[in-house]
Amino acid sequence: MSRRPDFEIGGFCIPAGTRRTVDLPVSVLSDHTPVTMSAHVIHGAEAGPTMFVSAAIHGDEVIGVEIARRLLRSRKFSRLKGTLIVVPIVNTFGFLNHSRYLPDRRDLNRCFPGSEGGSLASRLAHLFMTEVVARCDLGIDLHSAAIHRTNMPQIRVSPKAKDTLAYADAFGAPVVIRSGLREGSLRQAAQNVGVDILLYEAGEGLRFDEYSARVGVAGILRVMHALGMIPEDGVPLAETVPVRAGSSSWERAPAGGLLRAFKTTGDMVEQGEILGVVADPFGETEAELAAGGAGLIIGRANMPIVNEGDALFHIARVVNAAEAEQRIEDLSAQLDGAAMFDEDEII
């Protein structure tokens, strides 16, 4: 039986049945400090798909880094078929500075596919596309809400990527949303080269969230099982199909002032239901914020200080509210009962 070929990335060769962290040069800081994008490659002894997991494209979205760390500590890769590439921190510049952006204030997720001779953001995007994305069959990109906001765990897929919906269901996040592709985004650039991506949104910028971390790790392992990369042993497969939403919209502050929220992520709301009240600091005026339509709250602002027009509650439209609520409860119960998460808790 012939030996499986080595996996090549960034000029390095990883033999079949081994794993290695590879440092891909990005740039040199003004003080001569080198900056790299580190990728951990697990190259299975047997043939199979190649998948990547990436985090911190926005440097302040740290929950994805924790999910990647937990994933790499998993013992489920001894019989891996195919290749897994994990990049815990894509945007090192933003991560070190606790910032969403790069030093030139560019949003990396609006700079794909990038170019070898462009701006810093464009060069980083080009490196990630050529060294990681182009080598894969599927990707899972980990994100969170921005600072002072939080997202309920959810998977976003392209409306045109019909086959990817099966992997979105396998992931087992409470909600799957079909969302359009934005110009310059990783999802758009990857789809243009034939690589579909599941985008995982959960938690808050610069914060760890235990539930979001658990959903993320379990979801990645479920997708790998669905791809035939790992066996079922110890993988808590989702027994309930996630809630699907075709659209979503934000309810915005009717006035500036102090927000008292009556609802939070995961709550089902009816049209006209009061989500919260914005009052002025003197207690003289209050403006109620009502839901413009029925649905599921998948994101919300955490800051009580708001300006008129601020996005406060993100509501996804669902067909059957009672069924959606039950599905979310079932998925959460399955996750809580998964023994694989009894250790390595976040305090």
Side-chain angles (χ1 to χ4, degrees):
M1 181 177 177
S2 61
R3 181 173 171 273
R4 189 181 179 208
D6 295 350
F7 185 82
E8 297 183 13
I9 179 172
F12 297 91
C13 293
I14 296 90
T18 67
R19 56 195 295 172
R20 177 176 179 176
T21 297
V22 173
D23 294 326
L24 305 172
V26 174
S27 180
V28 177
L29 298 180
S30 54
D31 67 349
H32 203 62
T33 301
V35 178
T36 62
M37 181 175 67
S38 299
H40 190 85
V41 180
I42 306 175
H43 190 39
E46 298 184 50
T50 300
M51 188 183 91
F52 78 83
V53 175
S54 58
I57 277 183
H58 295 132
D60 60 352
E61 297 179 356
V62 298
I63 186 63
V65 184
E66 171 63 12
I67 292 171
R69 184 193 68 82
R70 293 190 185 194
L71 177 68
L72 290 173
R73 286 172 57 88
S74 173
R75 299 176 181 177
K76 295 176 173 47
F77 301 138
S78 59
R79 291 180 285 168
L80 176 70
K81 294 181 180 179
T83 305
L84 174 66
I85 307 173
V86 181
V87 185
I89 304 169
V90 179
N91 179 4
T92 302
F93 303 94
F95 182 79
L96 292 175
N97 290 297
H98 307 166
S99 170
R100 179 183 181 88
Y101 306 105
L102 286 151
D104 57 5
R105 295 296 296 168
R106 282 183 169 86
D107 182 336
L108 180 58
N109 210 24
R110 297 294 177 269
C111 296
F112 287 94
S115 65
E116 193 172 8
S119 67
L120 177 59
S122 185
R123 294 178 189 215
L124 179 55
H126 175 76
L127 176 69
F128 187 68
M129 284 293 298
T130 55
E131 292 291 352
V132 178
V133 177
R135 302 175 188 273
C136 296
D137 302 298
L138 181 73
I140 300 178
D141 191 28
L142 308 175
H143 287 261
S144 76
I147 57 172
H148 307 316
R149 289 184 184 174
T150 189
N151 280 335
M152 178 182 183
Q154 59 198 260
I155 286 289
R156 298 183 185 179
V157 296
S158 165
K160 295 181 179 180
K162 296 181 180 180
D163 295 340
T164 312
L165 275 173
Y167 298 124
D169 287 342
F171 192 101
V175 186
V176 173
I177 302 175
R178 290 191 176 188
S179 62
L181 300 176
R182 292 191 175 184
E183 187 71 28
S185 69
L186 172 61
R187 283 202 299 151
Q188 182 193 59
Q191 191 173 93
N192 288 341
V193 296
V195 180
D196 283 335
I197 288 182
L198 300 179
L199 190 150
Y200 177 63
E201 283 274 4
E204 178 184 359
L206 296 179
R207 296 288 184 272
F208 278 178
D209 167 30
E210 180 62 21
Y211 180 65
S212 297
R214 291 185 177 196
V215 173
V217 176
I220 294 168
L221 293 174
R222 288 165 175 165
V223 171
M224 293 183 71
H225 171 69
L227 285 166
M229 298 178 71
I230 58 175
E232 184 179 339
D233 303 348
V235 178
L237 303 182
E239 300 172 4
T240 304
V241 178
V243 176
R244 288 189 182 178
S247 64
S248 64
S249 61
W250 282 92
E251 299 295 347
R252 297 182 177 274
L258 304 175
L259 170 68
R260 301 199 311 277
F262 303 152
K263 299 291 182 179
T264 190
T265 53
D267 289 345
M268 301 295 304
V269 295
E270 299 293 332
Q271 183 174 359
E273 190 170 354
I274 303 302
L275 305 174
V277 171
V278 179
D280 81 309
F282 301 100
E284 297 175 348
T285 61
E286 288 191 346
E288 293 182 336
L289 175 61
L296 170 69
I297 298 177
I298 59 172
R300 57 155 291 187
N302 291 331
M303 280 283 286
I305 304 168
V306 301
N307 294 308
E308 184 173 350
D310 282 355
L312 301 183
F313 294 91
H314 194 189
I315 300 177
R317 313 301 176 199
V318 296
V319 176
N320 188 316
E323 181 182 357
E325 195 167 18
Q326 186 59 53
R327 286 187 188 180
I328 291 169
E329 290 178 1
D330 290 345
L331 286 165
S332 296
Q334 290 171 32
L335 189 69
D336 289 340
M340 63 174 286
F341 296 110
D342 286 347
E343 60 182 6
D344 202 14
E345 300 290 323
I346 297 175
I347 298 175

